[in-house]
């Protein structure tokens, strides 16, 4: 069964359910979704998400500038849906999360005493979210754990910010690292459609066109490196989360949302 959610106004929407876990189970379907920008959702899309999939929480990781320029999205008009705007504030260019234009090796990658290659550049960009807005990362995961309906986390492309939060949620839920990588790289299947959609917006066009399309591809080694550094520096993602106030109760809540 496919994990993709077919919508008219978003092209990178899928379920975090159906992935293998370390204890031989599967993550639960219909509880937490991930997506790209929701600004273009049609009335039919809203009916699918709210009526069909029982969506009740939207975790919007876009910056304040993105929301101001693009708009909050049609789901904000639906009374059943609660919005959690939790910017990670470290977008890759003027407004978006597509890729980092520059990186300060001393500030973002203090553990790396070697020239930055592409892998470390993207990984360092991801660690910028954790460094600059740890409270937003924790709050986003808590919002994804709420049990009064399904939750959806999104940004602009649904690739980097959303990819990091989805990876952390799946790790807490006990998904295998291989499954987490699989979910991360799945965005590549829709990359052409994502870029086409974002290029239709003045907010994102210049940022996207500053790099070749292939530069935007989510590669397995990026998220693998992200986890490797968390493992080496904090004893794993749970070690980092605990440092910033994550509790056993939080783990139990997210685990319950994503486990069969």
């Amino acid at each position: 069964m496919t994990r993709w959610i077919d919508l008219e106004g978003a092209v990178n929407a899928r379920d975090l359910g159906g992935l293998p876990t370390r204890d031989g189970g599967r993550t639960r379907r219909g509880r937490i979704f991930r997506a790209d920008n929701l600004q273009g959702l049609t009335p039919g899309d809203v009916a699918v998400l709210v009526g069909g999939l029982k969506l009740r929480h939207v975790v919007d990781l876009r910056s304040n500038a993105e929301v101001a320029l693009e708009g909050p999205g049609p789901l904000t008009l639906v009374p059943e849906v609660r919005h959690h705007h939790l910017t990670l504030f470290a977008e890759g260019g003027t407004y978006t999360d597509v890729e980092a234009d520059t990186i300060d090796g001393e500030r973002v990658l203090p553990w790396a005493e070697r020239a930055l290659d592409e892998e470390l550049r993207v990984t360092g960009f991801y660690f910028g979210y954790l460094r600059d807005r740890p409270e937003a990362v924790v709050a986003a995961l808590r919002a994804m754990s709420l049990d009064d309906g399904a939750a959806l986390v999104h940004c602009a492309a649904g690739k980097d910010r959303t990819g990091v939060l989805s990876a952390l949620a799946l790790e807490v839920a006990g998904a295998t690292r291989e499954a987490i990588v699989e979910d991360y790289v799945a965005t590549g299947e829709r990359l052409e459609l994502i870029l086409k959609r974002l290029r239709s917006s003045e907010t994102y066009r210049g940022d996207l066109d500053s790099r070749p399309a292939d530069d935007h591809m989510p590669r397995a080694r990026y998220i693998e490196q992200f986890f490797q550094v968390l493992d080496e520096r904090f004893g794993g993602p749970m070690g980092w989360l605990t440092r910033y106030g994550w509790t056993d109760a939080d783990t139990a809540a997210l685990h319950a949302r994503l486990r069969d």
Side-chain angles (χ1 to χ4, degrees):
M1 184 183 296
T2 181
R3 296 193 299 119
W4 292 102
I5 303 169
D6 291 326
L7 302 170
E8 297 177 273
V11 297
N12 191 22
R14 60 185 181 273
D15 197 327
L16 291 187
L19 295 172
T21 57
R22 295 187 292 270
D23 62 1
R26 293 268 172 179
T27 54
R28 183 177 295 181
R29 292 181 181 271
R31 297 301 183 89
I32 301 180
F33 312 118
R34 56 177 293 174
D36 48 334
N37 193 359
L38 304 179
Q39 183 62 26
L41 293 181
T42 66
D45 293 335
V46 172
V48 167
L49 292 169
V50 179
L53 297 177
K54 308 303 180 186
L55 180 65
R56 296 297 181 266
H57 295 276
V58 171
V59 181
D60 185 350
L61 303 177
R62 294 178 300 162
S63 68
N64 293 324
E66 286 172 280
V67 174
L69 290 165
E70 290 287 290
L75 285 173
T76 58
L77 302 177
V78 179
E80 299 98 316
V81 178
R82 179 181 171 190
H83 278 73
H84 310 261
H85 181 216
L86 295 160
T87 175
L88 300 189
F89 197 66
E91 291 78 26
T94 307
Y95 304 118
T96 186
D97 66 344
V98 176
E99 293 285 10
D101 293 327
T102 60
I103 190 167
D104 181 340
E106 292 299 320
R107 183 163 181 248
V108 180
L109 295 170
W111 59 87
E113 297 180 358
R114 55 193 171 103
L116 296 176
D117 58 16
E118 182 71 4
E119 174 183 327
L120 287 175
R121 186 181 70 82
V122 175
T123 299
F125 184 37
Y126 291 175
F127 269 93
Y129 308 149
L130 275 61
R131 179 201 66 220
D132 295 336
R133 293 299 302 272
E135 74 289 350
V137 172
V138 170
L141 290 171
R142 285 174 174 154
M144 293 160 68
S145 306
L146 295 171
D147 64 1
D148 56 335
L152 183 151
V153 58
H154 81 97
C155 52
K159 177 172 73 74
D160 295 314
R161 292 170 286 187
T162 298
V164 168
L165 264 296
S166 297
L168 290 173
L170 289 168
E171 171 77 13
V172 173
T176 66
R177 289 285 174 88
E178 293 80 7
I180 295 171
V181 172
E182 173 191 325
D183 178 68
Y184 173 78
V185 302
T187 288
E189 299 175 27
R190 302 286 178 98
L191 187 63
E192 184 177 346
L193 293 171
I194 294 167
L195 297 181
K196 179 180 179 181
R197 182 165 180 256
L198 290 178
R199 283 193 176 100
S200 69
S201 167
E202 292 184 5
T203 303
Y204 302 114
R205 187 181 305 118
D207 203 27
L208 285 163
D209 289 343
S210 67
R211 292 183 177 276
D214 188 62
D215 278 8
H216 305 307
M217 182 65 70
R219 293 176 168 84
R221 64 182 184 271
Y222 299 159
I223 201 69
E224 288 169 348
Q225 173 71 18
F226 175 74
F227 275 116
Q228 181 181 337
V229 175
L230 281 176
D231 291 342
E232 292 174 353
R233 295 201 58 187
F234 302 99
M238 296 304 301
W240 183 87
L241 286 167
T242 300
R243 174 176 293 197
Y244 290 100
W246 188 260
T247 67
D248 290 344
D250 291 324
T251 296
L254 186 50
H255 195 275
R257 292 294 286 158
L258 268 179
R259 292 305 305 273
D260 289 326

